[in-house]
Amino acid sequence: MKIDVALPVRAALGEGPTWYHDRLIWVDIPACEVHEYIPASGTDSVREVPQHVGAAKPRAGGGLVVNLRDGAGLLAPGGGFRWLAEWPIEGRRGNDAGVDPQGNLWAGTLSYGGGGGSLYRVTPDGGVVTFLDRVGTSNGIAWSPDGALMYYVDTDTGRIDVFDTDPEGGLPRRRRTLAEIDRGLPDGITVDADGCVWVALWDGAAVRRYTPGGDLDREVEVPVSRPTACAFGGPGLADLYITSATEGLPEATLAAEPLSGALLVVPSAGIGLPGTPFAG
């Protein structure tokens, strides 16, 4: 597959790409930056937030919900900020997040020293339920086209897991393994219109596609060691955008990989699913 450079940036830890209307929302975690990239104009606007930001997702009423170091906050379209839910724990920060078909935010955390994370469900009114505790590194989360399955990555396990969702609105149940990863570590994920799961492979220099049955269906080599997450966007949701990182790479690797940290795109990679905005 052809790989293009959407933005030739050197993000420290680009993450969380999300397509909404005409733009791709993504973050640079340690830079405390939320980006909105509009491919039609080539512009990438940047908004600074008060803490390390693991993810930013659109809100139904406008603005963004952000997963920060100490909890989930709301960014107004005009730039105002307020906390929605707080869970400050020394040595932890927010990481990847997702919005389920009902409009709830699923916000993951990790420890700066590794391990020690959690996964929370945050309702539009700010109610918080701890769904998983003792998580290593909470990362990608996404749902099947019919909403019946929730896919989840705890990077430290080296797996993509899957849960059954509750049609009555309760918490997902019956966790099992979808796929064991044998190349790098699993990071961010997205699900396409065929119900297949795409996963970025940190230290694996690739993005893979797994069928709903857990079979490896496709592998896309990328020119960076640390792709972090992927999302479909663009016309017809056909283009696969991939964020990447420079954080932690030795100087020799950075010199050999001038695109590390860039926002990449694979044109016409498949067909994605329209996302659900946060209902709060």
Side-chain angles (χ1 to χ4, degrees), residues 140-145 149-153 160-163 178 189 191 195 197 211-212:
I141 186 165
W143 288 263
S144 61
L149 301 173
M150 184 178 85
Y151 297 100
Y152 176 65
V153 171
I160 304 170
D161 288 344
V162 58
F163 296 80
L178 176 76
I189 61 175
V191 176
V197 180
T211 69

Side-chain angles (χ1 to χ4, degrees), residues 13-242:
L13 188 49
E15 262 286 7
T18 301
W19 184 263
Y20 193 60
H21 294 320
D22 63 343
R23 64 198 59 201
L24 189 84
I25 301 163
W26 64 284
V27 302
D28 187 347
I29 294 175
C32 306
E33 293 177 349
V34 176
H35 294 247
E36 295 190 37
Y37 168 62
I38 302 177
S41 63
T43 58
D44 183 54
S45 61
V46 182
R47 181 185 298 187
E48 293 187 0
V49 291
Q51 297 180 349
H52 288 173
V53 53
K57 305 297 176 183
R59 296 165 57 196
L64 301 169
V65 59
V66 287
N67 189 21
L68 300 177
R69 185 191 66 204
D70 294 339
L74 301 177
L75 292 175
F81 171 82
R82 68 178 177 87
W83 287 104
L84 174 68
E86 296 181 76
W87 49 77
I89 299 176
E90 184 68 27
R92 282 195 188 183
R93 68 162 173 83
N95 204 43
D96 209 351
V99 178
D100 67 24
Q102 291 73 44
N104 302 301
L105 178 72
W106 291 75
T109 67
L110 57 77
S111 167
Y112 283 104
S118 298
L119 178 64
Y120 304 102
R121 185 181 73 175
V122 185
T123 57
D125 62 359
V128 179
V129 174
T130 302
F131 177 62
L132 294 175
D133 210 350
R134 299 182 181 178
V135 171
T137 302
S138 190
N139 250 312
I141 186 165
W143 288 263
S144 61
D146 62 2
L149 301 173
M150 184 178 85
Y151 297 100
Y152 176 65
V153 171
D154 175 354
T155 294
D156 293 16
T157 68
R159 306 189 309 260
I160 304 170
D161 288 344
V162 58
F163 296 80
D164 295 325
T165 61
D166 184 348
E168 302 301 321
L171 294 174
R173 59 194 185 279
R174 206 169 75 84
R175 182 176 186 172
R176 65 263 188 205
T177 298
L178 176 76
E180 298 272 1
I181 305 302
D182 59 2
R183 176 174 179 168
L185 293 169
D187 201 328
I189 61 175
T190 192
V191 176
D192 65 23
D194 294 326
C196 294
V197 180
W198 296 72
V199 58
L201 303 180
W202 175 274
D203 281 340
V207 174
R208 282 181 171 178
R209 182 188 196 237
Y210 287 90
T211 69
D215 296 321
L216 177 58
D217 175 69
R218 197 175 304 171
E219 186 169 80
V220 182
E221 304 273 350
V222 295
V224 297
S225 294
R226 293 184 165 173
T228 56
C230 50
F232 283 94
L237 298 176
D239 303 329
L240 186 70
Y241 286 91
I242 303 166

Side-chain angles (χ1 to χ4, degrees), residues 5 7-10 223-224 244 246 254 256-264:
V5 179
L7 281 173
V9 293
R10 285 288 245 183
V224 297
S244 66
T246 57
L254 290 172
E257 296 180 2
L259 294 180
S260 282
L263 176 64
L264 307 174

